[in-house]
Amino acid sequence: MIHSRAVLCAAQGRVRAEDFNMRIKYTDKDHAEIKKLSLKWWEKKAEKNEDILEYAVLQYRLKDYEAAVSLLEPLAEKDMTASFYLYADCLYYHSTKEKDREKAIQIYKRFLHKTEDADDPVVIWQRAMCYAYGLGTEPDGKRAFEMFRYVSDTVPEAEYEIGCAYRDGTLGRERDRELAELYLCRAWKHYAEQAIFALYDLYGREWDCFPYQRELTEAYSYQIGKHMRAVHVNPSVLTYRSLAELYLQGFPGDKGEDDARFRRKAEQYIRKAEELEKRGE
């Protein structure tokens, strides 16, 4: 039995920040890309299908999922295969309506049918996600893992999924803490947005033991900023609840009154969402 925090920290993992150049600035890179794209679409209107899709991806990255859906839905109706996966993702994971989840399953099925012979690494990763989580098909974890591994050199999100599989013992893998940290560090190094949060979970959310504190706090603050922007430009049940969920997680490392303050903020946004729900908005 581990009796002290010092021993716990010593026992957890051997991969450290310097081994994977973790001191990268994901937030700087993402902000620069989003700023460039925002200026691009500020200066001209997206009219071609390919441009509309790019603009929809920008809205998705900005956490304005409802705006993304409004752009992706017409593309999907035109049978633009490249829009299917992201459209289904928005409906399944980022909607408060059960009928949207049912619709998403049908879109996932169309996506899988249309991309059977795909060789694009991103599309292979998207197909693997469907098999991993049973989206539009029966779950097939082993098949998903092999697909993730096949594209892991070019798709950071595939590295993230491999890391989570080793962390949780899913997709036909045995739990392996060192491999989990290895792949999650690689995913973060290659700018997979959620990897730093998965690493924190790997460490049992033990702040004092976590070697990537600066990266985590920067990523959390950056996500808060994106969700606050979404609330500002598109106040809705979804945007309020999404922001509330982040506040409920608490700022990494906060305790006592600081943590309670974040929870009070979450309650404020939950009340705003409930008010909109009562009005049927």
Side-chain angles (χ1 to χ4, degrees), residues 8-53:
L8 175 63
C9 292
Q12 290 194 8
R14 298 173 184 173
V15 181
R16 287 296 178 262
E18 58 269 25
D19 297 325
F20 290 94
N21 188 27
M22 290 288 284
R23 302 302 182 191
I24 57 169
K25 279 281 191 176
Y26 159 78
T27 51
D28 287 354
K29 178 179 182 293
D30 192 70
H31 181 266
E33 291 177 355
I34 285 177
K35 180 180 178 181
K36 182 178 179 180
L37 288 169
S38 297
L39 289 173
K40 174 182 177 179
W41 298 119
W42 179 268
E43 294 170 355
K44 73 170 187 175
K45 183 178 179 180
E47 295 179 340
K48 296 180 180 179
N49 288 345
E50 293 77 11
D51 291 341
I52 295 171
L53 178 59

Side-chain angles (χ1 to χ4, degrees), residues 48-66:
K48 296 180 180 179
N49 288 345
E50 293 77 11
D51 291 341
I52 295 171
L53 178 59
E54 183 179 310
Y55 188 52
V57 171
L58 172 62
Q59 299 308 310
Y60 184 91
R61 291 175 65 178
L62 287 168
K63 312 300 183 186
D64 193 348
Y65 303 112
E66 289 163 320

Side-chain angles (χ1 to χ4, degrees), residues 112 127-145 171:
L112 288 168
R127 289 178 60 84
M129 292 291 286
C130 292
Y131 290 117
Y133 298 101
L135 304 171
T137 185
E138 289 297 315
D140 189 338
K142 291 183 179 180
R143 181 177 184 180
F145 185 86
L171 306 184

Side-chain angles (χ1 to χ4, degrees), residues 76-121:
E77 290 174 351
K78 294 176 184 177
D79 208 35
M80 184 181 184
T81 304
S83 70
F84 287 173
Y85 182 83
L86 192 61
Y87 181 40
D89 182 276
C90 287
L91 295 178
Y92 193 84
Y93 289 108
H94 307 291
S95 173
T96 58
K97 302 173 184 176
E98 183 59 35
K99 65 179 183 180
D100 282 346
R101 289 172 65 88
E102 296 170 359
K103 184 177 182 180
I105 293 299
Q106 299 307 313
I107 299 167
Y108 282 125
K109 289 180 178 179
R110 286 172 62 193
F111 166 74
L112 288 168
H113 175 71
K114 289 271 191 175
T115 58
E116 286 180 339
D117 299 321
D119 58 3
D120 179 271

